[in-house]
Amino acid sequence: MKQNRFRAIAASFQTKSTRAGTYTLLASALVIAIAVLVNLAVAKLPAAVTQKDISSDRMFTLSEQSVSLAEGLYEPVTIYWIVTDTGEDGYLSQLLPLYADLSANLIVEKIDPVVQPGFAGQYTDQSPALNDLVVVSGTRSCYVPYSSLYLYDYAEYYDTGNYGARFAGESEITRAIDFVTTDGLSKAYCLTGHGEYTLSAAFTSGVRTLNVETADLNLLTVSEVPADADCLLILCPCSDLTDTERDILLNYLDNGGDLLLFTDCETDMQWENLRAVTQRFGLGAQSGIVIEGDPGMSLANYPYYLFPSLGTHDITRPIADGGYTVLAPFAGAITMEDLPEGVSVMPLLETSAKAYAKPAGSGAATTQREDGDLDGPFLIAAAAENAGTSARMVWCASTLLLDEEANAMSSGANEDFFLNALAWMCGHESAISIHPKQMDSQLLVVSARTSSMLAMTLSFLIPGAFLAAGVAVTVKRRRRG
């Protein structure tokens, strides 16, 4: 009886419908298994392969400098991400895997503050917050608070209700990696005592991302530039140097010092002592405010807000590669005189040949070209280097390039230019061009030529095309009728 029952059960599996169902089940299991294996394989792929950055400002694309720094790590570096499973910041969750994929020596590890509440206290006295980062090497550590990853500009908030926001995740993380793998910080001194320009908070924050310490320096209180100075900044002095200050600076340059100088069209070009310093590199100044005669190289309706062409140099190359343009308002002109032996000068910012300079400066009665105006092209910024002494100087004849509004109009390119120049002089090439990414809409800044073309197109060409099409359709219909 039992044998007949088993035979009946066995026979039921031999039917056509049963075999079809079995094949379907096996095929479904095989498809599911393949899907699981594919998902497991994709999960092992680098984030750069599985994530495509389609954001307008390349929010999740690491710069060449970050890639070079990470790939060149010779010691293990761990980025501890203090976060819970439900509290991950969306930007960090996409950015950190990109770093981890660059080097076997770079590890990203999550730390749950609920499970390890005392972890952050080993590295900071601050109250820890979710999404704080701790970058640790074998010898040093750097705490990166979450609040430093986002920069906000409330300058227009009370007038318009809008504020600007930028994501500084890459610059902060790369700075921290550079900090924990570098033996010491660079030091830049800012000259005081002549009514110099003061850097804004945003530019000062940018300097910090280079791992460069800053301090004020009055040359009348010392006998020489401090030995730990990697660079000296002179930002638009309102009076000439004294003889003592001149001699201290010349001795500093003769011993391989680096100088970053900003002036503008209002700087008195007759200052003998400042001129003696710049002439160490064969550079001088030409009086007057530079007016751009090519409408494609100035801000619409403001020909003294220049969009100079970028030279080929480590300072400007990343800006050009990113498709950005520096904005140089109220610029003066730099001249190259007889270059001393061993000195080389590379143009950084230049006007077109149609530019002209008005000797009266910003007090000129008109921006139109007149008799007595000086002919271009003009050199707005240059980098000079003495092969014999290793001294360097970067001179930019537009102090308002450092202005916050001008920087916003250039989409951060002005800040890039300043920080790149400082990084180049302090030997921090790995930090060049890393700047916060714009999270909100950027200003659309157009040249005078582009503005005229848009006006002609919108006011005449497009309406004219529709009018012509309407006339053609009307004529055709009447002929048919």
Side-chain angles (χ1 to χ4, degrees):
M1 194 72 176
K2 291 184 178 179
Q3 290 182 353
N4 292 334
R5 185 180 302 168
F6 285 127
R7 287 176 182 173
I9 295 174
S12 68
F13 283 98
Q14 302 300 318
T15 64
K16 185 176 181 179
S17 60
T18 302
R19 288 198 299 270
T22 303
Y23 293 149
T24 301
L25 179 62
L26 292 176
S28 299
L30 181 61
V31 169
I32 294 173
I34 292 175
V36 171
L37 292 175
V38 169
N39 282 327
L40 291 174
V42 170
K44 297 296 183 180
L45 292 175
V49 175
T50 59
Q51 299 178 11
K52 295 300 180 183
D53 188 359
I54 59 174
S55 58
S56 60
D57 203 26
R58 311 298 289 171
M59 292 284 291
F60 309 110
T61 299
L62 296 180
S63 67
E64 179 183 344
Q65 288 70 35
S66 294
V67 173
S68 176
L69 178 64
E71 291 181 343
L73 290 176
Y74 57 88
E75 60 177 314
V77 173
T78 302
I79 302 176
Y80 292 105
W81 184 9
I82 302 176
V83 68
T84 60
D85 291 337
T86 59
E88 294 184 2
D89 177 84
Y91 289 106
L92 284 179
S93 64
Q94 297 186 64
L95 185 64
L96 290 174
L98 297 178
Y99 277 94
D101 291 339
L102 292 176
S103 172
N105 281 329
L106 192 55
I107 303 167
V108 176
E109 182 178 335
K110 293 182 180 179
I111 299 294
D112 191 326
V114 177
V115 179
Q116 302 183 58
F119 181 83
Q122 305 174 59
Y123 303 98
T124 182
D125 295 330
Q126 303 179 33
S127 299
L130 287 181
N131 292 296
D132 284 356
L133 302 173
V134 185
V135 182
V136 181
S137 68
T139 56
R140 306 177 75 177
S141 66
C142 181
Y143 198 86
V144 183
Y146 179 59
S147 58
S148 69
L149 303 182
Y150 293 89
L151 305 178
Y152 299 96
D153 181 9
Y154 294 96
E156 300 181 0
Y157 181 77
Y158 294 103
D159 296 329
T160 65
N162 299 322
Y163 62 90
R166 293 185 294 167
F167 179 60
E170 182 187 0
S171 58
E172 285 292 296
I173 295 172
T174 298
R175 174 192 67 84
I177 296 173
D178 184 49
F179 175 81
V180 300
T181 56
T182 302
D183 294 334
L185 300 179
S186 296
K187 190 71 172 284
Y189 284 91
C190 299
L191 189 67
T192 63
H194 310 85
E196 287 83 359
Y197 184 88
T198 302
L199 290 176
S200 68
F203 278 80
T204 301
S205 176
V207 172
R208 187 177 66 85
T209 66
L210 300 179
N211 287 328
V212 175
E213 293 181 319
T214 59
D216 292 337
L217 176 64
N218 190 325
L219 291 179
L220 295 178
T221 64
V222 296
S223 59
E224 61 181 6
V225 176
D228 62 345
D230 293 286
C231 178
L232 182 63
L233 279 65
I234 304 179
L235 304 179
C236 198
C238 296
S239 61
D240 196 10
L241 305 172
T242 65
D243 292 348
T244 299
E245 291 173 312
R246 175 203 61 199
D247 293 340
I248 291 176
L249 285 178
L250 292 177
N251 181 66
Y252 171 68
L253 294 176
D254 290 342
N255 285 280
D258 294 334
L259 176 63
L260 180 55
L261 174 64
F262 276 79
T263 59
D264 58 23
C265 64
E266 298 299 332
T267 302
D268 191 340
M269 304 307 175
Q270 303 304 314
W271 293 345
E272 295 184 0
N273 290 329
L274 181 60
R275 189 169 67 251
V277 173
T278 63
Q279 285 178 340
R280 267 296 196 269
F281 296 92
L283 298 178
Q286 191 164 322
S287 298
I289 184 173
V290 175
I291 306 296
E292 182 55 73
D294 184 344
M297 297 184 65
S298 67
L299 188 65
N301 302 319
Y302 295 93
Y304 43 87
Y305 273 61
L306 313 179
F307 287 130
S309 59
L310 299 173
T312 303
H313 193 276
D314 288 342
I315 294 173
T316 54
R317 188 178 297 109
I319 302 175
D321 291 345
Y324 292 94
T325 304
V326 171
L327 179 62
F330 293 92
I334 299 171
T335 59
M336 280 192 287
E337 303 170 356
D338 294 332
L339 298 184
E341 183 179 356
V343 171
S344 59
V345 176
M346 295 294 294
L348 298 178
L349 303 176
E350 291 183 285
T351 70
S352 74
K354 295 181 180 180
Y356 50 94
K358 291 186 169 295
S362 61
T366 178
T367 59
Q368 299 298 316
R369 194 178 190 116
E370 302 174 297
D371 293 338
D373 290 346
L374 307 174
D375 296 329
F378 299 105
L379 185 61
I380 304 301
E385 192 167 4
N386 189 318
T389 63
S390 298
R392 289 175 167 180
M393 181 176 75
V394 172
W395 183 2
C396 178
S398 172
T399 303
L400 284 183
L401 182 147
L402 304 175
D403 179 70
E404 278 292 339
E405 183 177 353
N407 183 53
M409 296 175 73
S410 69
S411 297
N414 284 11
E415 183 179 346
D416 276 354
F417 180 85
F418 171 75
L419 295 179
N420 291 356
L422 185 59
W424 179 70
M425 305 190 79
C426 292
H428 282 236
E429 284 80 1
S430 63
I432 283 181
S433 86
I434 302 176
H435 68 285
K437 306 293 181 65
Q438 201 75 24
M439 296 175 61
D440 53 359
S441 58
Q442 298 182 7
L443 292 173
L444 177 60
V445 181
V446 297
S447 65
R449 176 189 298 165
T450 304
S451 177
S452 299
M453 291 177 62
L454 288 173
M456 289 290 294
T457 301
L458 297 175
S459 300
F460 299 102
L461 295 181
I462 294 178
F466 279 103
L467 180 60
V471 171
V473 171
T474 302
V475 171
K476 187 175 180 179
R477 288 178 176 177
R478 286 184 177 179
R479 287 178 178 177
R480 288 180 178 177

